[in-house]
Amino acid sequence: MSTEFWIQASCPRWQTPHELDASTVDEAIEAVFPRDAEDAFVVWRHVYIPLGYKYDVGAILQDVLQMVGKLLAVDSGEWQVDWPSNTFGARWHFRWAGERLVVTSSEWRSVVGDTEDLLRGRSVLEIGKSEFVFEWKALLERVRDALIGAGYTFDALPELERLVEMARSIAGYGVLYR
């Protein structure tokens, strides 16, 4: 079990929008989660990084799905993501072989709480690949449950199926949800 990285998905409230007219998952997330819903927290080497569901999670979701998919699909590799949110702006570089995963992020551009300097000083994370992937499951399930609970369907929102399948493909939960 890693004490260097975990995700607190929290229990954000969600609402059914007046109209289910979103054409993308990020639009649907923005419609379903109110601004003052509980935040999720990514904890990177003991620095807490808040992620608002309404904007941050919607902005990074496609990259999260791609990241988890790559880590589950191949035994070894390298990949990089540039998180696009203006309150979770960072570049992470992944290198993995078997169960060993190294995530390096020396470029923290913008984080709520002005913790960029702390994070830059703790730029390398070494963790088991499965442990890292497991941490994302509860967050993906919170989004899935809110979107389905609000009435979105695979027909109306085709990207929802990818989210549901990815959450299902993660074999276990992160440290806070076991």
Side-chain angles (χ1 to χ4, degrees), residues 8-13 34-40 51-53:
Q8 178 182 320
S10 301
C11 191
R13 66 184 171 86
R35 180 175 288 161
D36 58 354
E38 233 181 306
D39 288 338
L51 293 179
Y53 274 89

Side-chain angles (χ1 to χ4, degrees), residues 63-170:
D63 290 324
V64 169
L65 295 175
Q66 187 177 5
M67 171 189 69
V68 169
K70 285 189 179 298
L71 290 169
L72 290 175
V74 292
D75 191 48
S76 65
E78 281 191 56
W79 187 70
Q80 184 170 290
V81 64
D82 200 343
W83 300 113
S85 172
N86 63 356
T87 53
F88 183 63
R91 180 173 291 137
W92 289 4
H93 181 265
F94 298 81
R95 192 175 63 252
W96 69 95
E99 262 305 298
R100 184 173 185 267
L101 171 64
V102 177
V103 186
T104 306
S105 180
S106 55
E107 187 179 328
W108 292 92
R109 294 181 306 277
S110 61
V111 178
V112 171
D114 299 320
T115 57
E116 296 89 348
D117 287 338
L118 274 174
L119 291 161
R120 282 185 208 109
R122 302 167 187 202
S123 62
V124 178
L125 171 68
E126 294 188 40
I127 187 171
K129 184 174 75 167
S130 293
E131 284 181 85
F132 181 84
V133 168
F134 290 174
E135 289 299 330
W136 296 93
K137 185 175 181 82
L139 184 133
L140 295 177
E141 288 181 340
R142 299 298 186 275
V143 173
R144 176 203 64 198
D145 293 348
L147 294 176
I148 292 172
Y152 286 101
T153 64
F154 295 160
D155 289 335
L157 200 61
E159 296 170 286
L160 180 57
E161 188 169 6
R162 182 176 178 216
L163 168 62
V164 168
E165 288 304 316
M166 192 60 66
R168 185 179 296 135
S169 71
I170 299 172

